Amino acid sequence: MTSWLQSKFLSFTIHEWFYALLIFISTYVVLLLIWKFTIRRITSFALRNPTKLGDLIVEVMRSTHQLTFALFSVLFAMHFLELNARWLTRLDYLSFLIIGMQVALWLSKGITLWAKAKTVATDGSAENMVLTTMLSWIFKTIVWSIAILSILANMGVNITAFVASLGVGGVAVALAVQNILSDLFASLAIGLDKPFVIGDFIIFGDVLGTVERVGLKTTHIRSLSGEQIVCGNTELLKNTIHNYKRMAERRVVFQFRVTYDTKADVVEKIPEIVKKAIAAESKARFDRAHFKGFGLSSLDFEVVFYVLDSSYNVYMDIQQSVNLYLMRELEAMNVSFAFPTMTLNLSKNPEIKMLLAKEELSSTLQ
């Protein structure tokens, strides 16, 4: 038995391999127990003190893969073999690689969970996630860049020349995809400035509709006629955007006309009738109603009121109700709405009458 333990395999005795295996198992079990104990403690603390940060740390810790513990345990156990300096250095490189990759995975998982929490509202509906998505990409890029550069630097690679070459390559790529990058930065501007969010009704140029999705390159708008309009973010921001969803109240100006045979005392009462019609609406605020002036064929009135709701349907319902109220009240007062008319008064001069009769007879014969 002793001779078998002293026999060698890959330059090491069986006894040394068993010793390394024991170190591997012990290290793996200890790491696993520490990991589970840490998760239990953090979970218990998070239950006593509910915070988003505590829940995030628990989820990040749970994402740790047990293969990481196994690989680290193997590398740690191999240090107890009588390896030469070259192999020990390689083991150190691999250990740093595993630790660096695991830390990067933890941070990346944390960023993913943070982005998910930011892009989902409390009622479960998705919000405008342009800014969060962009920041998530940027943070992950920074994390993995630092991790990779740190690993390469630890392995003796000259990262200064590597970073310089990446910079030159980045400039070339940026020039090649400048249109795409323009839309990406435009989406970032939308996320930061928030000229609109998902669900807003906007108008720009000849496009009008409800925002359905704000992407990294395009914005999707559902038009009133039903089709989906896809517009590049850069082109969208070049226009003046009218956001009707954020309109606190709508100012309405409308006019109507009555005939010239309406008596002055009746004309004087009409503004009060208009005021009563608007005051009867709970979501409307009266501003003014005036007998504006004398038209070519009518007496003109101008009315201004405010709708205390941004919905276009609410505005149209109120306008319809006011119109019907006016029609009923004016009809009860025997007042008629005017329409374009022209009255022709013929002269009593006999010579002019004769001339007009001859022109009429001439046109009839022709």
Side-chain angles (χ1 to χ4, degrees):
M1 185 66 177
T2 305
S3 60
W4 178 76
L5 291 176
Q6 296 300 323
S7 60
K8 291 190 175 183
F9 176 73
L10 297 178
S11 302
F12 298 103
T13 64
I14 301 298
H15 179 268
E16 290 174 327
W17 282 113
F18 271 116
Y19 183 68
L21 178 62
L22 181 62
I23 296 296
F24 161 73
I25 295 174
S26 302
T27 305
Y28 178 76
V29 171
V30 169
L31 290 176
L32 201 61
L33 291 175
I34 293 174
W35 174 59
K36 291 183 177 181
F37 175 78
T38 304
I39 291 177
R40 284 199 300 268
R41 295 292 295 178
I42 296 176
T43 303
S44 177
F45 179 80
L47 290 175
R48 293 195 306 269
N49 306 277
T51 59
K52 293 182 178 180
L53 180 60
D55 296 337
L56 187 144
I57 293 175
V58 170
E59 290 297 323
V60 168
M61 292 299 296
R62 286 177 177 171
S63 67
T64 306
H65 204 286
Q66 296 184 18
L67 180 61
T68 303
F69 298 147
L71 292 175
F72 184 81
S73 300
V74 169
L75 295 176
F76 181 75
M78 291 185 69
H79 278 79
F80 290 87
L81 298 175
E82 294 183 2
L83 299 171
N84 56 40
R86 183 179 178 184
W87 276 102
L88 288 175
T89 302
R90 290 176 178 176
L91 290 178
D92 291 337
Y93 289 161
L94 290 175
S95 299
F96 188 84
L97 172 64
I98 292 173
I99 295 174
M101 291 294 291
Q102 184 57 63
V103 171
L105 288 171
W106 279 338
L107 294 176
S108 181
K109 180 67 175 180
I111 294 169
T112 301
L113 294 174
W114 168 80
K116 184 178 179 180
K118 291 289 288 184
T119 54
V120 177
T122 55
D123 58 354
S125 59
E127 297 180 343
N128 185 341
M129 56 182 181
V130 173
L131 179 60
T132 304
T133 304
M134 290 288 292
L135 290 177
S136 175
W137 283 18
I138 292 172
F139 292 156
K140 287 184 180 180
T141 301
I142 293 174
V143 166
W144 283 104
S145 298
I146 293 175
I148 293 173
L149 291 176
S150 299
I151 292 171
L152 292 175
N154 182 264
M155 291 182 175
V157 178
N158 185 3
I159 62 172
T160 303
F162 181 70
V163 171
S165 63
L166 286 179
V168 175
V171 172
V173 172
L175 291 175
V177 295
Q178 55 182 335
N179 291 332
I180 297 176
L181 291 177
S182 177
D183 285 327
L184 288 176
F185 282 108
S187 69
L188 182 60
I190 292 173
L192 289 171
D193 196 46
K194 289 185 173 58
F196 54 82
V197 295
I198 294 174
D200 286 1
F201 184 86
I202 63 172
I203 296 177
F204 63 95
D206 58 349
V207 176
L208 67 162
T210 303
V211 179
E212 283 191 334
R213 178 180 179 273
V214 181
L216 295 177
K217 190 178 187 305
T218 60
T219 295
H220 297 182
I221 300 170
R222 182 68 61 181
S223 72
L224 292 178
S225 55
E227 75 273 13
Q228 187 182 70
I229 301 172
V230 180
C231 179
N233 292 327
T234 302
E235 292 299 323
L236 176 59
L237 291 184
K238 288 180 180 179
N239 294 274
T240 300
I241 301 172
H242 302 264
N243 192 332
Y244 283 87
K245 184 68 176 291
R246 298 179 183 176
M247 181 170 56
E249 56 184 24
R250 184 188 298 267
R251 184 175 184 267
V252 181
V253 180
F254 76 96
Q255 299 178 354
F256 65 94
R257 300 170 179 84
V258 299
T259 57
Y260 262 107
D261 58 1
T262 306
K263 304 298 183 181
D265 55 344
V266 176
V267 171
E268 188 176 7
K269 296 178 182 178
I270 291 178
E272 283 298 321
I273 295 174
V274 176
K275 183 176 180 180
K276 291 180 181 179
I278 297 173
E281 301 295 328
S282 60
K283 292 186 178 181
R285 184 178 77 249
F286 175 78
D287 185 33
R288 63 180 179 84
H290 292 97
F291 169 38
K292 183 180 180 181
F294 301 94
L296 294 176
S297 58
S298 61
L299 304 176
D300 300 340
F301 289 83
E302 184 175 77
V303 181
V304 178
F305 69 95
Y306 291 88
V307 178
L308 308 179
D309 194 295
S310 62
S311 172
Y312 187 79
N313 289 342
V314 172
Y315 152 62
M316 288 304 298
D317 289 341
I318 293 175
Q319 184 68 70
Q320 176 180 262
S321 179
V322 170
N323 291 343
L324 292 173
Y325 187 98
L326 289 177
M327 289 184 67
R328 295 189 184 100
E329 292 297 319
L330 295 183
E331 183 180 354
M333 298 170 64
N334 294 321
V335 177
S336 300
F337 287 100
F339 52 89
T341 58
M342 181 177 293
T343 302
L344 181 62
N345 295 316
L346 298 177
S347 175
K348 298 181 180 180
N349 191 317
E351 295 181 358
I352 295 179
K353 286 185 176 182
M354 184 64 69
L355 179 61
L356 291 174
K358 287 182 179 180
E359 290 181 356
E360 184 179 356
L361 178 61
S362 174
S363 61
T364 303
L365 294 176
Q366 291 178 357

